[in-house]
Amino acid sequence: GAMGGSASLIPRDLLGEYQELTFLSKQEILLAYKRFSELLPKEERENACSARVPKSQILTLPELRANPFQHRICHVFSTSETRDDSMSFEDFLDMLSVFSNSATADIKSHYAFRIFDFDDDGTLDRKDLEQLVNCLTGQGEESRLSSAEMEQLIQNILEESDIDKDGTINLSEFQHVVSRSPDFASSFKIVL
């Protein structure tokens, strides 16, 4: 069948490796491969395993189009050396793996932390939290918080989360907070 044709493009040994290195099933990996190659120009689809898809194309996926953190997600999962946030098939698989239902809460919170760490400095400071809140409340005038509301909210977040009281949230503090919110993992997923 037509499906068999596209499935055979992932060498069998690689397919096995992808299953070991991700939380994805063989079916999910093959579906991901199909979705990924559809983002490539026709003439590059043959070599989808070694091609890179530009960020602009990745963002056309409906699952990401609606995600307020779409730019950060591309940034965190991209291994592009030119830092253009493009994705290889393996980057794409990593992303789907972390967002899959089978990924552990630890892995999800680790990546969520990196996605929310807008300046990539390893901690969530006030500026990161402000951008986080803006992403979540939307940038529209009517939904944007006043600076007083924002200040209050960030105070509350820090009071809840900043255990060592240094004014920032580190990974272990973040994971501690997340471990107490059962709906976190379910909100942190992308299903193709």
Side-chain angles (χ1 to χ4, degrees):
M3 192 59 210
S6 67
S8 60
L9 291 174
I10 301 186
R12 181 153 303 169
D13 53 337
L14 256 187
L15 191 56
E17 204 176 300
Y18 290 153
Q19 276 174 268
E20 275 172 41
L21 295 174
T22 65
F23 294 99
L24 304 170
S25 67
K26 185 177 166 181
Q27 276 63 41
E28 290 172 313
I29 293 167
L30 293 172
L31 176 61
Y33 186 82
K34 183 173 179 289
R35 295 287 303 272
F36 184 80
S37 43
E38 284 164 1
L39 296 172
L40 288 164
K42 286 209 166 36
E43 61 279 4
E44 282 181 44
R45 285 182 194 169
E46 294 291 281
N47 309 312
C49 271
S50 57
R52 296 196 77 86
V53 168
K55 174 181 176 178
S56 56
Q57 280 298 102
I58 299 284
L59 293 179
T60 63
L61 290 166
E63 298 79 13
L64 278 179
R65 231 191 346 242
N67 191 306
F69 303 103
Q70 44 172 244
H71 295 288
R72 290 294 305 161
I73 290 170
C74 286
H75 179 72
V76 164
F77 288 97
S78 169
T79 56
S80 161
E81 285 169 7
T82 60
R83 302 185 65 77
D84 61 0
D85 295 351
S86 63
M87 279 197 194
S88 66
F89 179 56
E90 293 187 2
D91 295 345
F92 188 65
L93 276 187
D94 276 341
M95 172 181 81
L96 293 178
S97 175
V98 167
F99 282 100
S100 77
N101 279 332
S102 321
T104 63
D106 248 18
I107 297 253
K108 283 185 187 288
S109 57
H110 175 85
Y111 278 94
F113 182 81
R114 289 184 56 195
I115 287 165
F116 300 160
D117 179 14
F118 287 87
D119 57 10
D120 297 315
D121 69 351
T123 63
L124 305 186
D125 55 23
R126 287 173 162 275
K127 242 181 127 66
D128 292 322
L129 295 174
E130 198 167 313
Q131 281 183 269
L132 174 58
V133 171
N134 281 333
C135 277
L136 290 171
T137 53
Q139 300 290 354
E141 284 305 313
E142 63 291 338
S143 57
R144 210 192 274 122
L145 300 183
S146 72
S147 51
E149 291 169 319
M150 177 69 86
E151 185 50 42
Q152 187 55 59
L153 184 55
I154 288 177
Q155 264 323 109
N156 295 351
I157 296 173
L158 286 171
E159 263 162 42
E160 276 287 284
S161 327
D162 178 18
I163 298 162
D164 62 12
K165 299 292 173 229
D166 67 348
T168 65
I169 302 170
N170 61 34
L171 178 59
S172 62
E173 289 169 339
F174 181 76
Q175 288 184 312
H176 179 68
V177 171
V178 166
S179 68
R180 298 196 317 239
S181 53
D183 52 346
F184 170 78
S186 62
S187 65
F188 201 71
K189 65 171 186 229
I190 295 179
V191 180
L192 284 184

